[in-house]
């Protein structure tokens, strides 16, 4: 169990309850022996598997005639791919998270900032079976994020329009559910033409989808406010200080038709799992109403969360009724104090701490924005290893699992809202962000916006003031900031509505603003914007890429050394967020096509270090010696050429030697870069760092021979067999002595077999147009990365990755995959193991004919059945099976009519029309043609061949029953695939 698993547990804890707690709760307290039962009762289920996908738009409503148009305007009758019976049998099936933009080719005519990736529109559909035992419970469908705009239908009902790809959508399915064999249909139309940013945003359902299933009396999603607050209120028997209160403000709803009661229980556990406090209260909630209540928990002298010791407490909420757990939710949180001081900068837990942050977007090599949690763990750990203590998720809400990881790793977070506005939709997005994220100890700042042109005037102020108020109504424990790139010197501007002024690239104004606003804390929300390409150095003469020498920055920015120095030298600056931690697709400033990704990253798109990584490490890591030489020392044919050498170090003095001969010594007055010009000779270039007279650090680069073999190395030695765990695998070339050949650009064939799959690959080259999902990948300056993900497995397995290239010995890496314990392993709560009550439906369900018109009873047979006027909505009734009416002595005949367009799989003449039961004597007519009959009046099934034709069909059933007897369609009517048999021509 590595950190990754802690991260996974925390994520699952967030949604599903901690494993330890499940055991305690269900086995210990309630005495359940079957965890499966307990998990199935209240656990949110991951609904990522078994989606169908169609790239491109499809018309919603092909209706022409009156009746069809009329119906499609009705609740539950959406047409086309939004509807229930749409034929999606030839759509691609896939698992979420999914980003279709990263699968596509690059196109020079596509939007540059979106990485020259065409985006467009697409549809997703999924079927869902819901057990009848769920009737009366509250069922909610939750999308963590869909890029960019979306419309979501459930069983033909338009439930929601989503206006932002960064905001979750929580949809109550309860009123629309179908149970048992009647399958539910989810349909999502995604519009990724709509852009929200000037960076690569991906396309599709790129974050997880969950199904929450609770009692009708349930906690609102994000409905517990538990953020610990330092409190001045004296507590009984408490020492005079370090008192805290968790408000435990709970927001519940009872959707049911009757009043409901339950016991509410909140529990706080310390980082060792010891119970700190538990409180209970009885609740009574009227039918169809909500309740706000609170069970505050007071804590004295808790263990603190900090960047070095991120201590996390667990919070559990349970709803109980007669010993049964109705709902169980878990969160983690942490206790820490924050202070932004206008003179002295930032304090965490009362201690000064310079914020060493980076801005990041959310895409990664090979996967686009569909980044698995374990790859987030890899990315954030890379930042931590560099010495960063903070992250700004620019310029939008991050995926929830990234915040869980930040909590665990000890990374502080500037949590940013995407849109700037005081309109209801924007304010609701902001409120959602605060509600979702306020329990995270990592979050230290709420950010309202990034560089809004209105920021400098009255409108900017008026909007910002309303947004700040919306935040403060939900959380008063963090200051509100915004990333401003000007306008803060005017008489009235957005900064007047902020607690902390955030500055993007305003280094020339730090001192003036501090002088003019001496009471207001300042932070650099964005700085640097330095450019470099990994592995590119002056001697390689690559005009399309930018040398990694920290000499290149945007006109509005500074290089890494200078931008940090500006902050390090100013105690009043709380710190800053460098642009950016990683390269991201799009915004290929200062280049354009064929460059397709940015070059601002301290690391490349795969998380491989550029020299900036070591510059930042030298600047930021005070806890250990840092020393790193760049470039590599393999420059064939360049003997005698001057090679500029950089030694990144936090030592006081750096000494450089080539093949044992001294080259020079440099004193560093602050951590940074020592530079030497070295005439090239093959061999060993060595640097040694000294503090006073003591050697503290050492690094060397060596000339390598020609490549002889490929090599593969995984970031972690094994994967969990939960079908989610993913690991980056580095691919490189070795020389005869096993050393990495630094400039290899080899094209490699990659194959992934066994208990996992490749999710994609990349090499960090901002000009690469290679297919990120294909079987080949070229190394870029010696490196490439393949991301492999486990399959779900309940037995131990192995992923085998094989790399082959011409002229090199192949490499094979075998990665063990651990078994998942179905039903007892939190990871197995995922939809590989959906409880039977929510079994996923992979195949489109059979079409059920549920929309019928019913004629009045008549004394004479109507046959051949007369048409019903298309405009007549009223002389005939409406119904769905079971439908019966009793015949009178005068009127024994009745007629039923429906229309349908058969799906392809039953329209080829091999389909059948299956009536589960008809009561009375019946004749069946299709498109005015006689199809078959049933002569026995007793209830019986009737199955008739369905003639070929994928057009709109009209079906009529004429039923005659004896006076006083009931007649009608009393069971389901379905279009089924005939198992065998001849096709029936049209
Ligand atoms: C900033 C902006 C970022 C990015 C950056 C590039 O102005 O906030 O999103 O565009 O410039 O330097």
């Amino acid at each position: 169990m590595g950190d990754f698993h802690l991260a996974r547990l925390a994520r699952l804890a967030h949604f599903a309850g901690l494993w330890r707690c499940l055991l305690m709760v269900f086995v210990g307290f309630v005495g359940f022996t079957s965890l499966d039962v307990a998990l199935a009762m209240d656990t949110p289920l991951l609904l990522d598997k078994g989606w169908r996908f169609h790239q491109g738009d499809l018309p919603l409503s092909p209706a022409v005639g009156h009746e069809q148009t009329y119906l499609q305007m009705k609740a539950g009758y959406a047409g086309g791919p939004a509807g229930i019976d749409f034929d999606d049998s030839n759509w691609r099936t896939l698992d979420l998270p999914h980003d279709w933009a990263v699968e596509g080719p690059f196109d020079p005519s596509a939007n540059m900032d979106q990485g020259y990736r065409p985006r467009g529109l697409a549809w997703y559909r999924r079927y869902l079976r819901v057990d009848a035992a769920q009737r009366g419970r509250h069922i909610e469908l939750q999308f963590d994020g869909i890029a960019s705009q979306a419309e979501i239908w459930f069983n033909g009902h338009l439930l929601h329009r989503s206006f932002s790809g960064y905001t979750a959508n929580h949809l109550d399915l309860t009123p629309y559910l179908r149970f048992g064999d009647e399958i539910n249909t989810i349909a999502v139309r995604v519009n990724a033409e709509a852009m929200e940013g000037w960076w690569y945003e991906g396309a599709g359902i790129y974050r997880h989808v969950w199904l929450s299933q609770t009692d009708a009396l349930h906690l609102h999603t994000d409905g517990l406010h538990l953020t610990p607050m330092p409190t001045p209120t004296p507590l009984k028997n408490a020492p005079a200080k370090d008192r805290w209160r968790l408000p435990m403000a709970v927001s519940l709803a009872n959707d049911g038709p009757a009043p409901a009661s339950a016991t509410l229980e909140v529990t706080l556990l310390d980082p060792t799992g010891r119970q700190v406090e538990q409180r209970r209260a009885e609740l009574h909630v009227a039918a169809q109403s909500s309740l706000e209540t609170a069970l505050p928990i007071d804590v004295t002298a808790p263990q603190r969360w900090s960047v070095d010791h991120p201590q996390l407490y667990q919070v559990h909420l349970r709803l109980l009724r007669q010993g049964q757990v109705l709902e169980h939710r878990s969160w983690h949180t942490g206790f820490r104090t924050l202070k932004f001081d206008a003179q002295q900068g930032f304090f965490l837990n009362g201690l000064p701490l310079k914020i060493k942050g980076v801005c990041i977007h959310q895409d990664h090599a090979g996967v686009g924005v569909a980044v698995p949690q374990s790859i987030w763990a890899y990315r954030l750990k890379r930042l931590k290893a560099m010495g960063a203590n903070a992250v700004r998720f620019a310029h939008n809400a991050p995926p929830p699992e990234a915040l869980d990881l930040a909590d665990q790793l000890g990374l502080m977070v500037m949590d940013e809202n995407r849109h700037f506005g005081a309109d209801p939709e924007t304010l609701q997005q902001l409120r959602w962000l605060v509600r979702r994220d306020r329990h995270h100890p990592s979050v230290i700042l709420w950010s309202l916006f990034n560089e809004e042109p209105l920021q400098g005037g009255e409108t900017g102020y008026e909007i910002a003031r309303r947004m700040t108020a919306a935040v403060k109504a939900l959380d008063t424990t963090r200051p509100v900031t915004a990333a401003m790139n000007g306008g803060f010197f005017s008489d009235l501007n957005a900064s007047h509505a902020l607690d902390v002024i955030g500055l993007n690239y305003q280094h020339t104004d730090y001192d003036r603003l501090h002088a003019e606003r001496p009471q207001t804390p300042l932070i650099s929300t964005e700085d640097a914007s330095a450019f470099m390409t990994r592995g590119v150095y002056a001697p390689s003469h690559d005009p399309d890429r930018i040398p990694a020498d920290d000499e290149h920055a945007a006109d509005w920015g500074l290089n890494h050394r200078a931008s940090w120095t500006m902050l390090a030298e100013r105690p009043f600056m709380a710190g800053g967020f460098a642009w950016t931690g990683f390269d991201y697709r799009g915004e290929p400033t200062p280049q354009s096509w064929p460059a397709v990704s940015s070059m601002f990253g301290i690391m490349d798109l795969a998380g491989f270090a550029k020299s900036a990584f070591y510059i930042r490490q030298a600047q930021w890591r005070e806890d250990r010696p840092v020393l790193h030489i760049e470039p590599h020392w393999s420059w064939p044919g360049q003997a005698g050429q001057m090679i500029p050498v950089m030694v990144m170090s936090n030592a006081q003095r750096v000494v450089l030697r080539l093949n044992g001969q001294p080259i020079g010594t440099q004193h560093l007055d602050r951590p940074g870069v020592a530079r030497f010009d070295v005439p090239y000779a093959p061999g060993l270039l060595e640097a040694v760092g000294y503090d006073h007279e003591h050697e503290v650090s050492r690094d060397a680069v060596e000339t390598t021979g020609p490549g002889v073999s490929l090599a593969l190395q995984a970031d972690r030695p094994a994967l969990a067999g939960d079908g989610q765990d993913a690991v980056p695998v580095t691919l490189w070339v070795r020389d005869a002595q096993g050393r990495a050949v630094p400039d290899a650009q080899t094209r490699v064939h990659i194959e992934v077999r066994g208990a996992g799959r490749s999710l994609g690959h990349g090499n960090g080259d901002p000009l690469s147009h290679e297919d990120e999902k294909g079987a080949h990948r070229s190394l870029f300056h010696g490196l490439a990365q393949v991301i492999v993900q486990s399959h779900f497995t309940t037995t131990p397995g192995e992923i085998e990755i094989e790399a082959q290239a011409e002229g090199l010995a192949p490499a094979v890496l075998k990665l063990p995959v651990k078994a998942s314990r179905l039903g007892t392993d939190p990871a197995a709560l995922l939809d590989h193991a959906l409880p039977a009550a929510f079994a996923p439906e992979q195949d489109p369900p059979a079409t059920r004919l549920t929309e019928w018109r019913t004629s009045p009873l008549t004394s004479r047979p109507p046959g051949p059945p007369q048409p019903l006027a298309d405009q007549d909505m009223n002389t005939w009734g409406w119904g769905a099976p079971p439908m019966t009416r009793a015949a009178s002595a005068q009127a024994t005949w009745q007629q039923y009519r429906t229309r349908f367009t058969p799906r392809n799989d039953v329209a080829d003449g091999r389909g059948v029309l299956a009536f589960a039961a008809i009561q009375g004597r019946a004749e069946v007519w299709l498109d005015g043609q006689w199809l078959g009959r049933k002569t026995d009046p007793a209830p019986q099934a009737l199955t008739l061949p369905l003639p070929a034709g994928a057009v709109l069909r009209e079906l009529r059933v004429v039923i005659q029953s004896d006076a006083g007897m009931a007649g009608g369609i009393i069971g389901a009517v379905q279009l089924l695939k005939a198992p065998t048999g001849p096709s029936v021509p049209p």
Side-chain angles (χ1 to χ4, degrees):
M1 278 273 230
D3 294 352
F4 164 72
H5 272 276
L6 292 178
R8 170 175 303 286
L9 282 173
R11 171 72 176 135
L12 284 160
H14 183 67
F15 286 98
L18 265 190
W19 172 232
R20 182 183 56 230
C21 187
L22 282 171
L23 271 175
M24 182 186 81
V25 169
F26 296 119
V27 180
F29 291 3
V30 185
F32 280 11
T33 49
S34 162
L35 277 163
D36 297 34
V37 174
L39 298 178
M41 285 303 289
D42 73 327
T43 306
L45 305 166
L46 191 57
L47 216 63
D48 282 353
K49 294 272 164 205
W51 287 77
R52 291 167 170 268
F53 174 69
H54 171 87
Q55 193 161 352
D57 202 11
L58 291 165
L60 199 59
S61 165
V64 180
H66 174 72
E67 188 188 76
Q68 252 190 314
T69 312
Y70 175 90
L71 274 179
Q72 286 186 6
M73 302 307 116
K74 304 295 179 188
Y77 285 83
I84 293 171
D85 286 325
F86 182 77
D87 190 350
D88 58 15
S89 48
N90 57 4
W91 286 19
R92 173 178 159 195
T93 55
L94 50 76
D95 298 335
L96 306 176
H98 176 232
D99 174 0
W100 83 72
V102 76
E103 296 172 345
F106 295 93
D107 177 351
S109 65
N111 184 280
M112 163 181 185
D113 285 338
Q114 299 284 346
Y116 296 101
R117 298 274 201 181
R119 291 169 18 105
L121 289 91
W123 284 84
Y124 294 84
R125 286 167 59 92
R126 192 196 194 279
Y127 302 108
L128 180 71
R129 176 188 294 274
V130 178
D131 198 277
Q134 298 292 327
R135 193 173 253 121
R137 287 164 59 75
H138 174 81
I139 311 287
E140 199 170 287
L141 181 63
Q142 304 177 339
F143 292 87
D144 281 351
I146 307 173
S148 288
Q149 296 186 350
E151 289 153 287
I152 302 161
W153 290 264
F154 185 71
N155 288 341
H157 296 264
L158 176 60
L159 291 196
H160 188 63
R161 289 195 165 90
S162 170
F163 293 105
S164 173
Y166 304 103
T167 308
N169 301 292
H170 304 147
L171 313 174
D172 181 6
L173 303 184
T174 318
Y176 315 101
L177 283 171
R178 297 171 173 209
F179 298 98
D181 289 343
E182 272 203 75
I183 303 302
N184 298 279
T185 306
I186 305 164
V188 184
R189 178 177 182 264
V190 182
N191 175 4
E193 284 298 293
M195 285 191 261
E196 296 181 87
W198 49 94
W199 56 89
Y200 175 83
E201 298 184 280
I205 308 179
Y206 74 98
R207 293 182 182 171
H208 292 301
V209 180
W210 302 87
L211 193 75
S212 152
Q213 28 122 12
T214 55
D215 191 79
L217 173 61
H218 62 276
L219 179 73
H220 276 131
T221 303
D222 300 327
L224 174 64
H225 181 17
L226 59 91
T227 314
M229 303 184 204
T231 167
T233 320
L235 298 177
K236 240 194 318 174
N237 306 327
K241 53 184 186 176
D242 206 14
R243 294 187 297 256
W244 295 73
R245 170 162 288 194
L246 283 76
M248 297 293 188
V250 184
S251 156
L252 301 133
N254 174 16
D255 289 354
S261 301
T263 305
L264 169 69
E265 177 195 271
V266 289
T267 310
L268 180 70
L269 305 179
D270 76 8
T272 65
R274 195 181 55 85
Q275 184 173 308
V276 178
E277 171 85 75
Q278 183 173 78
R279 295 196 61 190
R280 285 182 173 215
E282 297 306 316
L283 299 174
H284 307 282
V285 188
Q288 288 180 264
S289 46
S290 293
L291 179 79
E292 309 279 326
T293 187
L295 284 178
I297 289 183
D298 293 320
V299 184
T300 303
Q303 296 177 49
R304 292 297 180 96
W305 181 93
S306 70
V307 292
D308 295 326
H309 302 286
Q311 300 287 359
L312 295 177
Y313 282 65
Q314 304 298 327
V315 170
H316 297 287
L317 177 148
R318 296 200 304 166
L319 286 176
L320 304 134
R321 184 181 296 143
Q322 288 149 12
Q324 199 195 348
V325 180
L326 301 180
E327 186 168 355
H328 174 207
R329 294 282 183 268
S330 301
W331 296 259
H332 58 248
T333 192
F335 296 82
R336 81 283 177 281
T337 59
L338 309 173
K339 188 170 96 177
F340 283 84
D341 184 274
Q343 305 302 326
Q344 299 174 72
F346 178 67
F347 292 77
L348 185 70
N349 295 320
L351 300 171
L353 183 68
K354 201 81 172 179
I355 294 177
K356 301 166 177 172
V358 295
C359 303
I360 58 175
H361 282 313
Q362 57 171 356
D363 58 321
H364 188 86
V367 294
V369 292
V371 181
Q373 179 185 354
S374 40
I375 301 302
W376 271 111
Y378 163 77
R379 286 163 68 84
L380 298 183
K381 281 184 194 169
R382 297 283 293 144
L383 295 176
K384 191 85 185 171
M386 182 173 81
N389 61 20
V391 185
R392 173 183 177 213
F393 291 96
H395 305 293
N396 48 262
E401 51 269 34
L403 289 182
D404 291 338
L405 287 161
D407 290 342
Q408 288 154 21
L409 294 171
L411 279 167
M412 298 181 287
V413 170
M414 171 171 163
D415 205 354
E416 189 154 285
N417 189 54
R418 174 72 290 271
H419 298 287
F420 186 52
D423 58 286
E425 170 63 31
T426 307
L427 289 176
Q428 122 72 19
Q429 289 179 18
L430 178 64
R431 290 191 186 105
W432 162 81
L433 175 81
V434 177
R435 274 201 194 94
R436 186 193 69 165
D437 293 347
R438 62 188 165 179
H439 69 279
H440 290 285
S442 56
V443 176
I444 59 162
L445 281 167
W446 301 114
S447 172
L448 302 184
F449 64 81
N450 175 70
E451 299 184 353
E452 287 291 336
L454 293 174
Q455 66 202 350
E458 187 178 354
T459 309
Y461 167 73
E462 288 297 333
I463 295 174
R465 152 172 105 75
R466 285 165 174 79
M467 294 179 83
T468 297
V471 173
K472 300 277 183 197
L474 296 168
D475 181 48
T476 51
T477 68
R478 289 120 173 145
V480 173
T481 190
M484 299 183 64
N485 60 343
F488 31 74
F489 291 124
S490 65
D491 288 345
L492 187 64
N493 60 70
S495 78
H496 293 103
L498 305 176
D499 302 313
V500 175
I501 304 180
L503 304 170
N504 283 11
Y505 308 102
Q506 303 304 304
H507 42 270
T508 52
D509 280 332
Y510 289 165
D511 296 334
R512 180 180 160 204
L513 188 60
H514 176 55
E516 289 194 15
R517 304 279 287 273
Q519 307 304 326
T520 310
L522 306 181
I523 186 168
S524 163
T525 35
E526 215 173 298
D527 51 69
S529 270
F531 314 120
M532 63 171 73
T533 312
R534 178 181 60 77
V536 173
Y537 304 101
S540 63
H541 303 299
D542 181 346
D544 290 330
R545 297 174 179 82
I546 299 177
D549 56 9
D550 202 32
E551 294 296 339
H552 305 269
D555 293 343
W556 52 93
L558 292 172
N559 63 28
H560 289 280
R561 287 157 299 149
S563 60
W564 180 248
T565 303
M566 294 291 292
L567 299 171
E569 285 175 344
R570 289 171 173 74
F572 63 85
M573 291 300 293
F577 293 90
W579 191 265
T580 45
F582 301 91
D583 283 345
Y584 50 95
R585 294 172 181 75
E587 208 181 13
T589 318
Q591 317 283 56
S592 57
W593 184 268
V596 293
S597 88
S598 85
M599 305 179 200
F600 296 114
I602 294 171
M603 288 174 262
D604 69 18
L605 199 54
F608 294 131
K610 304 181 187 177
S611 60
F613 179 93
Y614 303 102
I615 296 173
R616 291 284 170 177
Q617 202 170 46
Q619 290 170 327
W620 285 354
R621 289 214 66 156
E622 290 157 21
D623 57 330
R624 70 166 171 100
V626 172
L627 188 136
H628 180 86
I629 308 183
E630 299 256 330
H632 58 80
W633 207 241
S634 298
W635 301 100
Q638 307 223 24
Q641 289 280 328
M642 276 303 177
I643 309 276
V645 170
M646 304 160 70
V647 181
M648 279 64 76
S649 184
N650 55 6
Q652 292 170 344
R653 185 162 54 93
V654 171
V655 175
L656 192 71
R657 290 192 203 96
L658 177 60
N659 295 325
Q661 300 302 310
I663 295 284
T665 297
Q666 274 195 34
H667 292 268
L668 293 172
D669 47 4
R670 64 164 53 90
V673 184
R675 291 181 187 268
F676 303 86
D677 282 327
V678 185
Y680 180 67
L684 183 77
L685 182 69
E686 254 187 316
V688 184
Y690 294 90
D691 279 352
H692 307 291
E693 291 318 306
H694 303 292
E695 177 182 328
V696 288
S697 44
R698 175 180 281 264
D699 189 28
V701 284
E702 201 177 359
T703 309
T704 55
V708 297
S709 61
L710 288 165
L712 289 163
Q713 188 177 340
D715 188 53
R716 281 180 291 120
L719 286 92
D722 57 10
Q724 298 286 319
D725 196 3
V727 67
V729 176
T730 305
L731 182 54
W732 81 97
V733 170
R734 275 199 256 250
D735 73 358
Q737 292 178 52
R739 296 170 300 196
V741 178
D743 250 353
Q745 313 277 10
T746 321
R747 185 166 186 263
V748 182
H749 176 86
I750 305 158
E751 213 175 300
V752 179
R753 300 182 283 261
R757 58 180 180 144
S758 163
L759 286 184
H761 40 72
N763 61 16
D765 178 6
L767 274 76
S768 172
H769 295 178
E770 284 180 317
D771 173 7
E772 295 191 56
K773 305 283 181 182
H776 291 93
R777 168 59 62 181
S778 303
L779 304 191
F780 178 65
H781 291 291
L783 297 173
Q785 181 182 76
V786 190
I787 295 175
V788 296
Q789 185 172 54
S790 65
H791 291 319
F792 177 77
T793 174
T794 52
T795 54
E798 199 172 65
I799 303 180
E800 199 171 284
I801 306 146
E802 181 166 0
Q804 293 175 325
E806 223 179 292
L808 297 175
V812 176
L813 177 70
K814 294 180 179 181
L815 279 176
V817 175
K818 297 175 193 160
S820 262
R821 283 161 295 149
L822 196 66
T824 57
D825 188 340
L829 301 184
L830 312 180
D831 56 353
H832 305 281
L834 276 185
F838 295 98
E841 286 292 317
Q842 299 291 341
D843 290 333
T847 302
R848 284 187 166 236
L849 304 182
T850 53
E851 300 149 16
W852 292 82
R853 302 291 305 270
T854 58
S855 76
L857 285 157
T858 55
S859 56
R860 300 158 66 90
Q866 292 117 26
L868 172 68
D870 190 51
Q871 289 91 340
D872 182 349
M873 299 300 126
N874 297 300
T875 60
W876 286 34
W878 301 82
M883 315 174 270
T884 53
R885 282 167 300 165
S888 65
Q890 296 76 32
T892 60
W893 294 88
Q894 49 181 311
Q895 223 191 120
Y896 295 86
R897 193 209 64 166
T898 190
R899 285 172 167 179
F900 62 89
T901 304
R903 290 199 313 239
N904 286 331
D905 55 351
V906 291
D908 62 355
R910 291 175 205 276
V912 294
L913 187 59
F915 294 85
I918 297 178
Q919 187 168 3
R921 298 174 199 91
E923 285 197 348
V924 180
W925 298 71
L926 187 73
D927 300 331
Q929 303 292 314
W930 188 86
L931 198 64
R933 72 156 53 93
K934 168 179 169 283
T935 50
D936 188 337
Q940 273 175 358
L942 177 66
T943 301
L944 299 167
L946 180 66
V951 292
L952 183 67
R953 324 291 297 260
E954 188 189 59
L955 176 68
R956 284 165 183 266
V957 183
V958 178
I959 297 178
Q960 195 261 329
S961 23
D962 297 334
M965 301 300 289
I969 301 173
I970 61 174
V973 187
Q974 297 185 81
L975 307 181
L976 301 175
K977 277 186 253 185
T980 50
S983 63
V984 184

